[in-house]
Amino acid sequence: MDDLDLEDRWHSPYSSADRSHRETAQKVTLHARPVNTLKVGQVAAEVGVSVQTLHYYERLELLPKPKRSAANYRLYSPEAIRRVQFIKKAQAIGMTLEETKQILDLKDHGREPCRQVAELGEKHLREINARLAQLRAYRRALAKSVSVWRKENLSERHCAGEFCDLIERLPIGRKLSKKIV
């Protein structure tokens, strides 16, 4: 044994044969992962969602099933980042995951989804306008009730009704819903 071997043994718990085997294994591992692939955690961090969200998108077929590494890690293409960003933007404007899936399916099959996106946008705009009208009606009913509540002597009042008659007396429910719809 020469001085170098003794020095290596002294500083490393592994024999030179063990180190050689480890280095070969590391080289194989580095070459086993295809170029331009990302692990699930990298994609999740890049787009600001959880790993579970990505798995959920896969189950719903919003994301294609990723390739797998030799160690069974999910390996995504960089396109997955753009796709998840699109999904999040669609959600932000009120589209459901099912609607988003329909749009992505059209695009995946070489068809232009813009007409369907415009129709969905119009539908969501109508729903938002209806919801705003409903909220305005709720606001008017609550404002009227709160002004009446202020006039009542709440500090001396004993709560009537099953839960609290202040809420139970509100016209919200069937009467108000009928006016809104």
Side-chain angles (χ1 to χ4, degrees), residues 1 6 15 28-29 56 66 77 98-99 102 113 161 168-169 173:
M1 228 186 270
L6 287 174
S15 70
V28 169
T29 303
Y56 182 62
S77 71
E98 181 56 37
E99 290 167 337
Q102 292 170 8
E168 291 171 307
R169 291 185 305 191

Side-chain angles (χ1 to χ4, degrees), residues 163-177:
F163 301 105
C164 177
D165 67 318
L166 294 176
I167 293 175
E168 291 171 307
R169 291 185 305 191
L170 289 175
I172 297 174
R174 288 191 179 138
K175 284 183 189 177
L176 189 57
S177 295

Side-chain angles (χ1 to χ4, degrees), residues 43-100:
V43 175
E46 181 70 28
V47 293
V49 299
S50 70
V51 169
Q52 290 81 10
T53 297
L54 294 177
H55 295 171
Y56 182 62
Y57 289 171
E58 283 176 40
R59 284 193 304 277
L60 295 179
E61 298 177 356
L62 287 160
L63 279 178
K65 296 284 183 201
K67 294 178 182 175
R68 297 287 185 144
S69 71
N72 206 28
Y73 289 112
R74 288 174 166 88
L75 299 176
Y76 293 90
S77 71
E79 172 61 27
I81 291 173
R82 288 184 43 225
R83 196 167 176 109
V84 174
Q85 288 171 334
F86 176 82
I87 293 166
K88 299 311 290 176
K89 286 179 182 180
Q91 283 182 306
I93 62 167
M95 293 198 180
T96 66
L97 290 177
E98 181 56 37
E99 290 167 337
T100 304

Side-chain angles (χ1 to χ4, degrees), residues 122-134:
E122 290 171 5
K123 175 186 151 210
H124 284 284
L125 191 56
R126 285 190 304 272
E127 290 169 356
I128 289 169
N129 286 334
R131 181 72 176 136
L132 284 172
Q134 183 182 40

